[in-house]
Structures are given as C-alpha cells and as structure tokens.
Amino acid sequence: MLVTAAGVSDSATGLPPLATVAAAQPTLTKAWPDSACRTTVIEGAAALGIDVRLARDYEARPDRSEAMIHIAMIDVMTRRLTGENTPTRGGA
C-alpha cells in the first residue's frame, strides 16, 4: 500500500505499486483503478502486459463501499468452495 498526501496525484504515483504487484504476480492481466489514473498508468500497465480498465466508485460513504466489497468476496469464495462456475453474459 502506498499512502501519499492529498495533493499528490494518483496518476503520478499509480504505476510503481502496479509494477510491484505485477512482479510478484506474473499472471496479473487486468486492473481496475479509479478514474484518477490516466495516461501514465494506462501506458505503463500496457508495457507490463496489464489491461487497465478505469472504474468508478459510486458509493458516497466508505462503509457502504466496504460492504459491497465484502458481499462480492463472499460470492467469490462461495463459488470457489462449491465449485460452481461464474455465470457469463452468453450463458455459457
């Protein structure tokens, strides 16, 4: 984790942590940073072989955002434990 002052741009500091994770997890192929990570991070991630999709957090309160993450992880872990496949848009 990287903690910076509020005046430091995410775009300026987003690539080094991504490069560290990519080195530790060579199978990483996608990342979903928030929209503050612009061209520098997108181009740097592409050089690392990582496809970057800009995400937006619509939750107004951090506790609600955290709750949504917990719900998503419960779903993921339940599927892993039961061996159930994740549904896809095509139904396959």
Side-chain angles (χ1 to χ4, degrees), residues 2-75:
L2 176 65
V3 179
T4 61
V8 177
S9 163
D10 288 346
S11 184
T13 60
L15 191 56
L18 189 59
T20 301
V21 171
Q25 302 293 327
T27 58
L28 178 68
T29 58
K30 291 195 184 291
W32 286 269
D34 68 14
S35 59
C37 295
R38 300 266 181 215
T39 308
T40 305
V41 175
I42 294 170
E43 290 174 356
L48 296 169
I50 300 171
D51 182 26
V52 172
R53 296 287 183 252
L54 299 179
R56 184 174 184 136
D57 185 7
Y58 292 99
E59 297 297 329
R61 294 178 34 187
D63 58 329
R64 290 185 181 171
S65 184
E66 181 182 4
M68 294 304 293
I69 292 168
H70 284 281
I71 290 169
M73 287 311 302
I74 289 169
D75 181 57

